[in-house]
Amino acid sequence: MKRLIICVMLIILAFAMFNATAIAQEEVTLTIQWAAGAPMDTLMILAEDFTAQTGIKVVGDAVPWALYHDKMFTDLASGRPGFDIVLPDSQWLGAAVEGGHLVDLTDWVNENVDKNLIFEEMLRAYSEYPDGSGRYYGIPGSANALGISYRKDLFEDPAEQAAFKEKYGYPLDVPQTWSQLRDIAEFFYRPEQNLYGIALWQRPTATAGVVDQFLSLFWAFGAELWNPETRRVKGYLNSEEGKAAARLWVELFQFHPPGAAGYSVDDTNVAMRKGMVAMMGTYFSFYPGIHNPDLSLYWDRIGWFPTPGEKRRVSQLGGQGMSISAYTPHKEEALKFLEWWLREETQWKWVRAGFFSPRVDIIEDDRFLEYAPPNEAVRASFPVLKDFWEIPLYHEMGTVMAEILNKAVLGQLTPEEAMDLVAERHEEILQREGYYN
């Protein structure tokens, strides 16, 4: 009898402990800060599955894109941010790590992430700092790349095709090189018809401006931002390859719509939605508005291709990693969320919702092509991604580059003068901050 009583008491105790644990888990709520928009909305919907599986609630802190960088760093600098998980742009990673704001995930990543399943450049750009250190402060969150949309009705018109071949000596098709893209932009530059050849981001800002889009062209010519070993810029950024890229960038500007020197995301998207341009550069994740019949006059006549090559083909990486705030009281729960996020089943749900996965196995699966108009171009872009500096000086160096390139397209500097000046200013910044000591 005594043994029976003890057994019953143990069962009651175990039940009570189980309930206590469950209640404790139900009381935990993770807050995720990210830029406002469809990806954030979708993440919150998918997170309901995570809550159902773990009992851990998830809420979002959506911040308008224009305010996101400053809001995130202001919150982190306070030491009491109102979020547990954050998705910083890849180039913000260095500043966040150097500030001591993110949890070092190195051991967790090495134990829990199959790196062979993730595109190498995504793991490096979204997660690793410093480059090549093997130290990880995040996982890939929202995978993205720069691409080009185009008006298929123009490209596939027999009369346009014949006229193009007669003028340039080769068929009108999606361009394989930036030089071919230049020809197509020139061909469709017809201001008297309110039709322009191309719209690319030109705004002189470090993020969502000229630097994002210029670099795909710059790297395609074989240029580099610096020597990754010595951090020296002169002779790399302003090499002959870099100057050739700048010359073509300035040349392309003459085929833009009027006022394009300030173009950013919304401006180029609107130009394509109205059919004002034959081609338009943007990150693939901005495609929904382009194909929305309520917003776009040409929603069913727009196609996509990866950014062209020249000496090589490189696509500018976009998107954000997913990191854990160093100040969260819920680190273990946040790690569970990261593990759930990279699961194959979660990533397929993300893809079916129209977004892009960092997993190689999903992007290479032909089912991926079914879920969004740009996906064939996305598949071609992800293996050749490249990103710019993730160091804390990113914002200052990006701003310098953007402002000087903007002066070049406005004719205030020659392309050669612009690249020499950018290289000089970048070395001054790096020297000031002790990168050459």
Side-chain angles (χ1 to χ4, degrees):
M1 184 64 182
K2 183 177 181 181
R3 182 177 296 174
L4 177 61
I5 293 173
I6 292 174
C7 287
V8 171
M9 291 179 67
L10 287 174
I11 291 171
I12 293 173
L13 178 61
F15 184 73
M17 292 177 65
F18 174 80
N19 278 340
T21 302
I23 291 170
Q25 286 185 342
E26 288 176 0
E27 291 175 348
V28 173
T29 297
L30 293 175
T31 300
I32 300 177
Q33 187 180 80
W34 197 9
M40 176 59 152
D41 297 340
T42 303
L43 178 62
M44 290 300 100
I45 293 172
L46 295 186
E48 294 174 3
D49 289 348
F50 173 76
T51 301
Q53 295 169 22
T54 64
I56 302 168
K57 296 180 180 177
V58 180
V59 298
D61 177 14
V63 183
W65 256 117
L67 307 175
Y68 184 36
H69 173 274
D70 292 348
K71 177 75 163 54
M72 186 191 87
F73 279 99
T74 299
D75 287 352
L76 289 170
S78 73
R80 302 175 62 184
F83 55 82
D84 307 285
I85 294 173
V86 65
L87 286 90
D89 254 1
S90 60
Q91 64 273 22
W92 305 346
L93 183 64
V97 172
E98 294 284 356
H101 301 310
L102 303 180
V103 172
D104 185 339
L105 300 176
T106 304
D107 292 341
W108 186 87
V109 168
N110 288 334
E111 293 173 7
N112 293 277
V113 177
D114 184 348
K115 298 173 188 172
N116 293 320
L117 286 178
I118 307 296
F119 284 99
E120 182 178 358
E121 181 65 0
M122 290 187 186
L123 189 64
R124 186 201 67 75
Y126 297 139
S127 313
E128 185 184 43
Y129 184 81
D131 286 349
S133 65
R135 308 300 302 179
Y136 299 103
Y137 295 86
I139 62 170
S142 178
N144 203 357
L146 187 69
I148 308 287
S149 62
Y150 70 102
R151 279 184 52 186
K152 292 192 295 185
D153 59 312
L154 293 176
F155 277 58
E156 296 172 0
D157 184 292
E160 299 288 6
Q161 291 175 338
F164 183 89
K165 187 170 184 179
E166 181 178 355
K167 181 173 183 178
Y168 296 98
Y170 63 94
L172 174 62
D173 202 346
V174 294
Q176 299 303 308
T177 66
W178 281 96
S179 295
Q180 291 176 351
L181 180 142
R182 178 250 173 246
D183 289 347
I184 297 170
E186 179 186 57
F187 179 71
F188 285 117
Y189 180 71
R190 303 164 188 176
E192 70 282 2
Q193 300 174 17
N194 198 29
L195 176 64
Y196 300 88
I198 191 166
L200 299 168
W201 297 355
Q202 302 287 349
R203 183 170 295 176
T205 54
T207 298
V210 58
V211 178
D212 290 71
Q213 303 216 342
F214 171 70
L215 287 182
S216 274
L217 186 159
F218 173 80
W219 281 318
F221 272 76
E224 295 290 346
L225 291 170
W226 63 2
N227 181 320
E229 301 298 326
T230 66
R231 309 292 179 89
R232 288 295 177 184
V233 180
K234 294 179 181 176
Y236 295 89
L237 187 146
N238 60 338
S239 63
E240 284 307 309
E241 291 82 3
K243 291 179 178 178
R247 283 194 290 272
L248 183 54
W249 182 262
V250 170
E251 192 174 3
L252 281 171
F253 184 70
Q254 65 183 309
F255 308 126
H256 282 58
Y263 269 19
S264 185
V265 182
D266 290 343
D267 311 288
T268 53
N269 287 354
V270 168
M272 175 54 75
R273 295 200 307 246
K274 291 183 176 179
M276 288 175 55
V277 291
M279 298 177 289
M280 181 273 288
T282 193
Y283 284 117
F284 287 120
S285 62
F286 294 122
Y287 79 86
I290 305 297
H291 292 276
N292 183 340
D294 294 331
L295 300 175
S296 177
L297 296 174
Y298 291 82
W299 65 276
D300 58 345
R301 285 163 281 176
I302 294 173
W304 295 81
F305 58 82
T307 51
E310 195 70 24
K311 292 183 177 179
R312 58 183 179 179
R313 196 167 66 78
V314 178
S315 289
Q316 171 62 44
L317 177 141
Q320 296 82 40
M322 183 178 288
S323 300
I324 299 176
S325 164
Y327 312 102
T328 178
H330 306 308
K331 178 182 173 182
E332 291 306 315
E333 290 83 0
L335 287 172
K336 288 181 180 178
F337 189 87
L338 266 57
E339 185 273 329
W340 167 83
W341 172 248
L342 284 182
R343 287 182 196 170
E344 183 178 359
E345 63 181 286
T346 307
Q347 287 297 305
W348 270 117
K349 290 179 180 177
W350 182 245
V351 164
R352 290 189 189 102
F355 300 101
F356 318 122
S357 173
R359 289 180 61 118
V360 177
D361 56 337
I362 289 178
I363 298 299
E364 291 183 348
D365 190 314
D366 285 346
R367 289 177 295 169
F368 169 71
L369 302 179
E370 302 172 6
Y371 298 115
N375 280 10
E376 188 169 345
V378 170
R379 176 190 275 187
S381 300
F382 278 11
V384 293
L385 291 172
K386 193 174 174 67
D387 199 18
F388 37 17
W389 337 266
E390 286 91 22
I391 60 176
L393 298 170
Y394 153 77
H395 190 75
E396 183 177 3
M397 293 172 69
T399 300
V400 164
M401 189 173 196
E403 290 178 349
I404 293 174
L405 283 172
N406 194 253
K407 289 182 178 179
V409 299
L410 292 175
Q412 298 170 11
L413 294 169
T414 68
E416 294 79 7
E417 290 171 340
M419 299 308 279
D420 286 339
L421 185 56
V422 174
E424 182 178 342
R425 294 285 304 279
H426 279 184
E427 286 208 349
E428 289 175 357
I429 294 169
L430 292 165
Q431 178 74 48
R432 184 195 71 207
E433 297 299 322
Y435 277 73
Y436 300 138
N437 295 335

